[in-house]
Amino acid sequence: DVKVTQSSRYLVKRTGEKVFLECVQDMDHENMFWYRQDPGLGLRLIYFSYDVKMKEKGDIPEGYSVSREKKERFSLILESASTNQTSMYLCASTGGAGGPYEQYFGPGTRLTVT
Amino acid sequence: QQQVKQSPQSLIVQKGGISIINCAYENTAFDYFPWYQQFPGKGPALLIAIRPDVSEKKEGRFTISFNKSAKQFSLHIMDSQPGDSATYFCAASTMGQGGKLIFGQGTELSVKP
């Protein structure tokens, strides 16, 4: 069964802290994505990766960076957390038997920055 | 720039009724239009998808209607049930983009018993 896991369901951090959100998929997918979800704005793409050590900016990359050292793991980094980064963060992956387009999502990490 | 616009933002339907959610897109290069369903506390999951070479696709109580000339597509949920209460997202993608999706703003559906 397809599985995408995220390291934390809930996270509370202080302004200025460096924050790491981890995502792991067990489907040998090539492509991985980080989104943030906010009411009324839908899912907005932060960064995505087509392969190990490859990354591309999405629609809202400012204030974020990513790391993909292994195929199964994609990390989102908030270099200096700010209150406007309080949000739900969703990781997804795609590739393999499901075709090139279906994205499989993790359960999300709700991040609060105080 | 929002390339996929979704409406309404919220929808309340009585049990047994028809739920209709609409989406409009701008980019004529889009060639894949999925709908995702998200329950509280869960990540979105693919519900149904359509390609622009057909005008309608039906899976059980869920139907996508697609109007290429109008650049619009919609999700119809027939005989809506309380278990259908969730947030629904339309999306669009272009072949060769590695599965990158552009999502709509989401619709929170509540089906009343």
Side-chain angles (χ1 to χ4, degrees):
Chain A
D1 197 16
V2 168
K3 196 166 185 180
V4 178
T5 57
Q6 295 183 228
S7 51
S8 304
R9 295 299 303 271
Y10 300 93
L11 210 52
V12 180
K13 295 292 181 180
R14 294 190 180 275
T15 300
E17 278 193 84
K18 191 169 185 176
V19 182
F20 293 86
L21 302 182
E22 303 285 334
C23 174
V24 178
Q25 51 96 0
D26 65 357
M27 299 160 284
D28 200 34
H29 283 168
E30 292 79 16
N31 308 320
M32 297 187 73
F33 307 82
W34 274 107
Y35 297 90
R36 64 176 284 176
Q37 180 178 3
D38 300 287
L41 296 177
L43 279 68
R44 292 181 293 165
L45 183 63
I46 304 172
Y47 267 97
F48 58 107
S49 170
Y50 291 135
D51 201 351
V52 174
K53 297 192 184 295
M54 302 289 288
K55 60 184 179 183
E56 290 199 31
K57 293 180 180 179
D59 299 319
I60 51 166
E62 297 78 18
Y64 304 94
S65 63
V66 290
S67 173
R68 194 167 180 200
E69 297 296 320
K70 294 184 178 181
K71 189 175 185 179
E72 67 270 18
R73 188 181 297 271
F74 192 34
S75 303
L76 180 69
I77 304 156
L78 285 65
E79 297 290 342
S80 178
S82 63
T83 55
N84 63 11
Q85 292 179 310
T86 291
S87 185
M88 171 69 83
Y89 290 88
L90 290 162
C91 174
S93 70
T94 187
Y101 299 116
E102 178 175 0
Q103 291 194 12
Y104 296 89
F105 283 84
T109 295
R110 184 164 294 282
L111 172 68
T112 302
V113 182
T114 61
Chain B
Q1 181 181 359
Q2 185 68 39
Q3 296 188 55
V4 179
K5 294 184 178 180
Q6 182 174 346
S7 63
Q9 189 168 346
S10 63
L11 182 62
I12 299 174
V13 173
Q14 290 296 125
K15 179 182 175 181
I18 302 173
S19 304
I20 302 174
I21 305 170
N22 300 299
C23 284
Y25 63 97
E26 300 166 6
N27 187 350
T28 55
F30 288 148
D31 63 353
Y32 176 74
F33 302 89
W35 286 88
Y36 280 76
Q37 180 187 52
Q38 183 182 29
F39 292 107
K42 304 285 187 181
L46 179 66
L47 180 64
I48 185 173
I50 197 169
R51 303 231 181 217
D53 52 343
V54 296
S55 60
E56 185 175 283
K57 183 174 182 180
K58 184 176 181 179
E59 290 184 2
R61 296 184 293 108
F62 300 90
T63 300
I64 299 179
S65 296
F66 184 80
N67 186 328
K68 189 174 182 178
S69 60
K71 294 188 287 185
Q72 295 175 348
F73 58 110
S74 59
L75 177 69
H76 296 236
I77 306 174
M78 310 300 288
D79 186 28
S80 298
Q81 299 296 313
D84 297 330
S85 298
T87 300
Y88 293 82
F89 294 96
C90 64
S93 178
T94 304
M95 187 177 292
Q97 291 289 307
K100 179 183 171 184
L101 292 172
I102 308 297
F103 283 90
Q105 297 92 327
T107 297
E108 190 172 347
L109 171 65
S110 178
V111 181
K112 299 297 185 185

